[in-house]
Amino acid sequence: MAPRTWVVACVLFSGVSILSTAQPPPEISNSFCKIFWLLGVPCGDVNVALVSGLKGKQSYKLGVVTPAQILANHTSAVGQVENLNFTLAPTAMTTGCHVAASSVSPFSFSLFDNGTNYCNLHRVMKGSGLTKSPGFMEFSNEWLCLGYGVSVCK
Ligand SMILES: *[C@@H]1O[C@H](CO)[C@@H](O)[C@H](O)[C@H]1NC(C)=O
Ligand SMILES: *[C@@H]1O[C@H](CO)[C@@H](O)[C@H](O)[C@H]1NC(C)=O
Ligand SMILES: *[C@@H]1O[C@H](CO)[C@@H](O)[C@H](O)[C@H]1NC(C)=O
């Protein structure tokens, strides 16, 4: 093999092993969704919008709120409670905000949870109006977030 082909092959193989080890073993993991958002809005404003978005929804229960963290619970139609965690950090270069959000179901009673955890987070972001804010970007993938990309949130 030419050296260049070899390097490409190595990169491909290491990429495959990283991806397969990143996949959590279904039998020991709870179902969860992790999302990262970037917004061109100061974290203080993001915090206020997320908190009022959570307060306005009946199935959500607001927990501890600090400038850097918002905790909440969501109760699904099936009576399951998911724990939500929004962690806010100012971006280095601009007056923007980086938000790491997670929704975790205590039970993995369904490997594919129909996007419950994704929709828990997406609904709050959408309801707060922040998805329309300047520079809004959402990052995740199907290993970080069950049902990501296929979920249709009601
Ligand atoms: C959310 O649920 C956890 C347990 O899953 C509980 O410890 C916590 O107090 C709940 N928070 C609220 C605001 O209900
Ligand atoms: C919330 O998420 C942050 C960042 O991942 C973590 O440091 C913190 O411990 C979490 N808090 C809870 C109560 O899960
Ligand atoms: C997911 O959807 C299927 C089909 O609509 C349903 O049978 C199943 O109970 C749902 N699972 C959860 C965890 O909501």
Side-chain angles (χ1 to χ4, degrees):
M1 248 193 286
R4 216 175 129 185
T5 316
W6 177 239
V7 168
V8 170
C10 283
V11 168
L12 285 178
F13 276 115
S14 60
V16 167
S17 64
I18 287 165
L19 289 180
S20 51
T21 52
Q23 190 169 13
E27 65 277 12
I28 59 158
S29 66
N30 301 334
S31 59
F32 64 88
C33 175
K34 293 194 164 94
I35 294 186
F36 302 94
W37 288 304
L38 272 179
L39 303 107
V41 177
C43 283
D45 298 351
V46 173
N47 192 306
V48 168
L50 286 177
V51 167
S52 64
L54 283 160
K55 277 184 180 159
K57 290 188 162 58
Q58 229 172 17
S59 55
Y60 291 83
K61 192 152 175 269
L62 196 59
V64 178
V65 177
T66 67
Q69 190 171 286
I70 301 166
L71 298 178
N73 287 342
H74 173 261
T75 308
S76 299
V78 285
Q80 172 186 260
V81 174
E82 296 97 26
N83 305 127
L84 314 186
N85 179 348
F86 301 84
T87 304
L88 290 69
T91 53
M93 298 309 222
T94 53
T95 53
C97 190
H98 172 271
V99 182
S102 65
S103 172
V104 181
S105 312
F107 310 108
S108 61
F109 73 106
S110 162
L111 182 58
F112 183 67
D113 69 350
N114 296 349
T116 302
N117 284 301
Y118 169 71
C119 291
N120 284 347
L121 300 173
H122 185 77
R123 217 181 280 123
V124 173
M125 195 34 106
K126 192 145 190 270
S128 68
L130 289 168
T131 50
K132 294 199 194 86
S133 66
F136 175 82
M137 281 204 264
E138 180 178 278
F139 302 93
S140 194
N141 65 41
E142 58 269 41
W143 286 301
L144 287 173
C145 182
L146 205 58
Y148 187 73
V150 296
S151 305
V152 180
C153 303
K154 286 187 226 85

